[in-house]
């Protein structure tokens, strides 16, 4: 294994993990009603992510038979297609799938989730999870991914995490944690201050300990309006399931905090993409 990281990407066993029969938990279901907000405001990923997937997996993306699982509105699906991958999107949610179809009408889409992939054995060169692995049960999703991968194929898991070493982001994270309590943590990933983990712990939490894995962290930034930043923040499940008035009050208070830090009305969001690639023998 190769290690290159400092913070955890996620973990199984949260209160929002799928049920024993793959039923989707309430917070996962919340995305369907907010698919448009999600698509319009969530960040994408920097080119370095797919560069790293290609290099670590040791396979070209152009022509790679790829399943993008938990594809959501198609953010990662579109990036993979731009690299020439032969992408099949797998998405369980009706609202998210409808948004993906509107945005990427020529991409093949099947309904399903990572705990029971609707794919044939050995049919994929690459299986990707962008911002979605923490909604699966790794005891089921790891064997499923390995089943559908050909020998020499790869499983790539990644997600944007907040750069909590940036003072304003750390302060916002603390406010979110106070407002939401334990619900601010999804699958081991906190919207507040993330708890540190070494690489071995991260692999264990993700359910891939004992496999051939490599982990990398890739920092990047984007500049958006305050409105976009708040809409991005509000598109997280912890807010989507809240009482609308309680959510509105928090966002109004957060707008005032941001006005002090960014009087020009533009917010520089800072992220670290936490990427883990598993190579199938």
């Amino acid at each position: 294994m190769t290690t290159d990281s400092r913070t955890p990407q996620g973990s199984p066993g949260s209160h929002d993990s799928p049920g024993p029969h793959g039923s989707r938990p309430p917070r996962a279901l919340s995305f369907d009603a907010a698919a448009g907000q999600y698509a319009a405001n969530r960040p994408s990923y920097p080119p370095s992510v797919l560069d790293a997937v290609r290099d670590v997996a040791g396979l070209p993306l152009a022509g790679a038979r790829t399943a993008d699982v938990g594809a959501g509105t198609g953010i990662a699906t579109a990036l993979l297609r731009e690299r020439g991958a032969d992408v099949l999107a797998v998405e369980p949610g009706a609202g998210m799938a409808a948004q993906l179809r509107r945005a990427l009408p020529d991409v093949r889409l099947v309904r399903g989730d990572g705990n029971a992939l609707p794919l044939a054995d050995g049919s994929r060169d690459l299986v990707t999870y962008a911002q979605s692995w923490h909604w699966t049960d790794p005891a089921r999703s790891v064997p499923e991914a390995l089943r559908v991968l050909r020998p020499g194929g790869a499983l790539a898991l990644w997600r944007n995490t907040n750069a909590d070493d940036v003072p304003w982001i750390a302060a916002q994270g603390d406010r979110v944690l106070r407002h939401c309590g334990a619900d601010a943590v999804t699958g081991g990933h906190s919207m507040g201050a993330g708890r540190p983990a070494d690489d071995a712990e991260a692999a264990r939490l993700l359910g891939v300990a004992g496999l051939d894995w490599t982990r990398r962290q890739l920092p990047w930034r984007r500049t958006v309006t305050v409105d976009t930043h708040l809409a991005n923040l509000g598109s997280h499940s912890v807010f989507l399931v809240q009482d609308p008035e309680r959510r509105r009050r928090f966002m109004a208070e957060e707008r005032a905090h941001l006005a002090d830090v960014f009087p020009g009305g533009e917010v520089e969001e800072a992220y670290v993409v936490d990427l883990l690639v598993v190579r199938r023998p």
Side-chain angles (χ1 to χ4, degrees):
M1 69 188 67
T2 304
T3 60
D4 265 314
S5 55
R6 293 294 179 269
T7 59
Q9 180 183 20
S11 69
S14 76
H15 65 280
D16 260 352
S17 295
H21 304 293
S23 57
R24 298 178 69 215
R27 278 172 60 180
L29 291 168
S30 70
F31 293 118
D32 286 328
Q37 177 182 350
Y38 191 110
N41 300 289
R42 280 292 182 103
S44 184
Y45 307 98
S48 58
V49 174
L50 293 186
D51 291 343
V53 170
R54 176 199 62 206
D55 295 345
V56 173
L59 55 86
L61 295 180
R65 297 169 299 168
T66 302
D68 186 29
V69 187
T73 62
I75 294 173
T77 308
L79 297 178
L80 287 159
R81 188 183 64 164
E82 289 170 5
R83 294 294 186 101
D86 177 12
V87 187
L88 172 68
V90 181
E91 168 55 38
M96 299 290 262
Q99 187 71 36
L100 189 149
R101 285 193 179 99
R102 285 192 290 271
L104 302 169
D106 57 337
V107 170
R108 292 174 297 154
L109 170 66
V110 296
R111 300 290 300 282
D113 67 54
N115 295 323
L117 291 170
L119 303 172
D121 295 1
S123 61
R124 300 287 121 181
D125 302 307
L126 179 65
V127 175
T128 61
Y129 284 79
Q131 223 74 21
S132 59
W133 184 255
H134 61 289
W135 296 113
T136 74
D137 174 5
R140 301 168 66 192
S141 54
V142 171
E144 275 293 274
L146 296 178
R147 176 184 66 79
V148 305
L149 283 170
R150 65 161 174 81
L155 166 66
L157 319 174
W158 73 84
R159 66 184 299 171
N160 282 313
T161 64
N162 292 326
D164 289 326
D165 58 340
V166 177
W168 80 264
I169 292 177
Q172 182 179 79
D174 289 342
R175 291 190 295 270
V176 170
L177 203 57
R178 288 195 298 271
H179 176 75
C180 301
D183 287 342
V185 181
T186 300
H189 170 66
S190 174
M191 293 181 66
R195 65 183 178 85
D198 61 25
D199 297 292
E201 182 189 7
R204 180 186 64 79
L205 293 173
L206 291 168
V208 300
L211 300 176
D212 179 13
W213 55 268
T214 297
R215 192 174 180 223
R216 290 187 179 173
Q217 291 199 319
L218 307 165
W220 73 287
R221 294 172 182 249
R222 71 167 187 169
T223 299
V224 297
T225 66
V226 170
D227 286 343
T228 295
H229 174 75
L230 291 174
N232 170 27
L233 185 63
S235 73
H236 287 79
S237 61
V238 69
F239 288 107
L240 294 175
V241 298
Q242 279 186 2
D243 172 74
E245 178 58 24
R246 183 167 182 254
R247 180 173 64 241
R248 186 200 65 76
R249 287 197 303 269
F250 178 84
M251 293 300 171
E253 293 170 1
E254 197 58 32
R255 183 181 294 275
H257 285 296
L258 292 170
D260 289 337
V261 182
F262 301 103
E266 290 195 325
V267 177
E268 185 180 49
E269 297 176 340
Y271 297 99
V272 178
V273 177
D274 196 352
L275 166 68
L276 190 143
V277 179
V278 178
R279 293 167 293 269
R280 187 189 185 283

